[in-house]
Amino acid sequence: MNAMATTINLRAAPVRLAGKATVRRSASLRRPAGRVVAKAAPGSSEPAKSESSVETGRLALLATVASNPVLFGAQEAFAKGGEFGIFEGRTMALIHPLFLGGLWFATVYAGYLGLQWRKVRTVGEEISELKKEIPAAVPAAVTANGEVEAAAAPSMTAAQVETKKKIDELTAERKELIAGNYKEKHNNWGSLLLAFGVTLAVEGGMNTYLRTGKLFPGPHLYAGMAITCLWAMAAGLVPEMQRGNQKARDLHIALNCVNLALFTWQIPTGLEIVGKVFQFTSWP
């Protein structure tokens, strides 16, 4: 009934009574039945007609609201008061937790892709170091007659033979890693995280403000702010990483590890907020 009364007050149009007196329908609904609104000459039938007009307008408004479920339930669907429409409803409030849940899995996957790409470099460096332990092959020799003698295979110890096997295994593994195209995939997923993560972080705070008229400083909000900053800092290191700066690479990995830890720690507080959304809002 509160929603209906508010809707009537906001949407009711003026009702013109007998003579030149004009009142709003919302006021006429609050006017006690039987009260004469306009004065008329003694013995005239104008007061009865005026009262009849008010009653007719009241019934018309009640019929309009009762036949429109959207207007009747508007106030119940929004937590703050309804002035922002569907942006205060449950549907918009659930966008933030739903998509950020997907971004948590995207963060884990992007980290996996990054580590696989890093392994391409580290395996290559390991192969280069192991090759130093293998004696170089004797180059082919040319005889006095102009014939080319086959290159003599270098003599290797048992340890060097094992090293040679390990080099072959690492070489095959590196080829598979390169074929996985992990560098491009990691860059693509990192870009998606930055774009959607920052957007959803801003959307979450804005939605809370629209629903309640304020923000709630606390662990969830502070962690979200830190995660957003870490996304930006990790992305800012990419140019130096592309130049081969190892310190930038290590810092990039460290920042993203802290980011994932905060993201994971934020899940319980986020679920508490989702529970409050279901408690204090309605569909849509």
Side-chain angles (χ1 to χ4, degrees), residues 153-207:
S155 58
M156 294 186 294
T157 64
Q160 290 174 337
V161 171
E162 291 298 323
T163 301
K164 181 66 169 59
K165 291 181 180 179
K166 187 174 182 180
I167 289 174
D168 294 338
E169 292 175 357
L170 291 175
T171 301
E173 180 182 358
R174 189 170 186 272
K175 288 181 180 179
E176 293 180 2
L177 291 170
I178 293 175
N181 199 18
Y182 291 111
K183 180 180 180 180
E184 183 176 354
K185 291 179 180 178
H186 178 68
N187 289 339
N188 291 340
W189 280 91
S191 298
L192 287 174
L193 277 175
L194 181 63
F196 285 97
V198 173
T199 301
L200 288 170
V202 174
E203 182 273 338
M206 181 60 68
N207 180 263

Side-chain angles (χ1 to χ4, degrees), residues 110-131:
Y112 165 77
L113 295 174
L115 292 177
Q116 293 299 102
W117 169 240
R118 182 174 182 270
K119 196 172 182 180
V120 173
R121 297 193 310 273
T122 57
V123 168
E125 294 170 357
E126 187 177 356
I127 291 173
S128 299
E129 291 297 322
L130 290 175
K131 283 183 177 180

Side-chain angles (χ1 to χ4, degrees), residues 28-51:
S28 68
L29 292 176
R30 294 191 297 268
R31 194 178 303 278
R35 180 177 177 182
V36 178
V37 179
K39 295 182 180 180
S44 174
S45 61
E46 288 300 325
K49 292 180 180 179
S50 299
E51 183 177 350

Side-chain angles (χ1 to χ4, degrees), residues 1-12 29 61-68 71-76:
M1 290 306 294
N2 290 336
M4 182 174 66
T6 304
T7 306
I8 292 171
N9 289 337
L10 292 175
R11 297 178 176 271
L29 292 176
L61 278 176
L62 290 175
T64 301
V65 175
S67 63
N68 193 333
L71 294 177
F72 186 77
Q75 298 297 323
E76 296 179 0

Side-chain angles (χ1 to χ4, degrees), residues 16-22:
R16 187 169 299 277
L17 302 179
K20 296 183 179 181
T22 302

Side-chain angles (χ1 to χ4, degrees), residues 100 219-221 223-225 227 261-271:
L100 277 177
H220 191 81
L221 179 62
M225 294 168 60
I227 290 170
L262 277 175
F263 210 159
T264 305
W265 177 78
Q266 197 184 30
I267 292 175
T269 54
L271 292 177

